[in-house]
Amino acid sequence: MFEAIAFYLFAALTIIMFTITVMTSQALYALTAMAAGMIFISAFFFILGADFLGAIQIIVYTGAVMAIYAFGMMFFDTTRNVIEKRSNPQFVVVLGGLAAVLVVFIVLAPIVTTNLNANYPIDLAVGNTQAIGMVLFTKYLVPFELAAVMLLVAMIAGIVLAGKKMDKSLTLMAEEDIALMHASSATEITQEEAY
Amino acid sequence: MEITLTHYLVLSTVLFAIGLIGVMRRKNLLMLFFATEILLNAVNIGMAAISHFRGDYTGQMFAFFIIAIAASEVAVGLGLLIVWYKRTGKIDLDQMTSMRG
């Protein structure tokens, strides 16, 4: 009974928040509504007994991803309304039809395949976090390491892309000046190599 | 009033549809990123629900890796977006025609 109340409450809240995110014309409203929606989604993970996943959802999404978005939005002009013009509605209709067919397959797949066997059955004697650790560091060790390398690559890419030439404004410079700046930095490198 | 797997899958589908609407109607690239985050989160709910109702940890494992991919996507995507904004002063999808596509 309490599970049903919690499910319907958080389902309504999540749908409302994500609708605001998609429909609003203010970037700040979209950001805050999505942060709230992420928190509400973690409630589903707690209801489903995936405690560790719920904690990770709060820490990673509302802690890290939303903070990155908030910092990124400081670079953009977010005070004005987002202007969006619509063109080519037939294209959107075709894409929407394809997406609807795909969604039918997504929903039907776990219902049709009823003869699945559990590879790593849930053991209620062991806590969720402990069991996750045991599965993650035995059967999924290689994907875990690959995900770690991928996060490192993404971190370096983010630093290089956002931090490069922070002291110069590439917006106010002409294309020739930017090309000149790149050329001068290239000659500096060749001079250093000559020494 | 028992909550079954179908309830969770319907919720996941509704959230996925909201994300798809966002991907199709947004022209501002920052808003497009928000919509992709909604898509990934909708899939995560389905994964966790199947993991719970089938009694298998595999769904939760895939949800973890989806979260890791979402985090790195945000880092790289926002870095590229900042560089583009510094160069042109706009983050509009319709004006990205430098590749003559």
Side-chain angles (χ1 to χ4, degrees), chain A residues 3-4 7-8 11 14-15 18-19 21-24 26-27 30-31 34 38 41 44-45 47-48 50 52-53 56-57 60-61 65 68-69 72-73 75-77 82 84-87 92 95-96 99 103 107 110 113 116-123 128 131-132 135-136 140 143-144 147 150-151 154 157-158 161-162 164-166 170-171 175 178, chain B residues 1-3 5-11 13-28 30-31 33-38 40-42 44-45 48-76 78-83 85-92 94:
Chain A
E3 192 196 349
F7 175 80
Y8 285 116
T14 315
I15 289 170
F18 282 164
T19 311
T21 307
V22 167
M23 292 299 170
T24 184
Q26 297 273 346
L31 182 79
M34 192 168 73
M38 299 294 182
I41 277 184
F44 293 114
F45 295 151
I47 294 171
L48 288 167
F52 191 64
L53 192 59
I56 290 291
Q57 170 85 10
V60 171
Y61 268 111
V65 171
I68 293 176
Y69 274 130
M73 277 171 71
F75 285 92
F76 311 126
D77 185 14
V82 180
E84 285 162 326
K85 74 177 171 64
R86 314 254 175 279
S87 60
V92 173
L95 274 182
V103 161
V107 175
T113 55
L116 284 176
N117 294 318
N119 278 339
Y120 311 109
I122 287 181
D123 185 6
N128 179 259
I132 289 286
V135 178
L136 191 63
Y140 287 90
F144 179 77
M150 185 186 68
L151 281 169
L161 285 171
K164 212 166 94 179
K165 306 267 187 338
M166 271 251 183
L170 291 172
T171 319
E175 288 285 327
I178 291 168
Chain B
M1 223 162 52
E2 187 74 19
I3 299 295
L5 178 59
T6 316
H7 286 78
Y8 281 99
L9 286 178
V10 167
L11 173 73
T13 313
V14 168
L15 293 180
F16 198 84
I18 292 173
L20 274 180
I21 291 169
V23 168
M24 284 184 214
R25 77 184 286 270
R26 289 298 192 194
K27 290 290 161 60
N28 185 306
L30 193 68
M31 300 303 216
F33 277 0
F34 288 172
T36 56
E37 296 294 327
I38 294 173
L40 292 169
N41 267 286
N44 268 355
I45 290 180
I50 291 168
S51 164
H52 176 73
F53 286 103
R54 293 265 183 254
D56 192 347
Y57 281 117
T58 312
Q60 292 183 33
M61 290 299 139
F62 273 86
F64 282 125
F65 292 123
I66 288 174
I67 288 178
I69 287 169
S72 39
E73 173 242 323
V74 169
V76 177
L78 217 62
L80 285 171
L81 206 56
I82 287 168
V83 171
Y85 187 74
K86 278 186 191 167
R87 288 294 299 268
T88 61
K90 290 183 182 67
I91 44 172
D92 198 348
D94 285 337

Side-chain angles (χ1 to χ4, degrees), chain A residues 102-148:
Chain A
L102 259 179
V103 161
V104 169
F105 279 115
I106 291 169
V107 175
L108 282 184
I111 295 169
V112 169
T113 55
T114 48
N115 54 349
L116 284 176
N117 294 318
N119 278 339
Y120 311 109
I122 287 181
D123 185 6
L124 289 176
V126 183
N128 179 259
T129 310
Q130 195 181 350
I132 289 286
M134 287 195 291
V135 178
L136 191 63
F137 289 109
T138 53
K139 300 289 179 187
Y140 287 90
L141 187 60
V142 175
F144 179 77
E145 299 284 349
L146 284 177

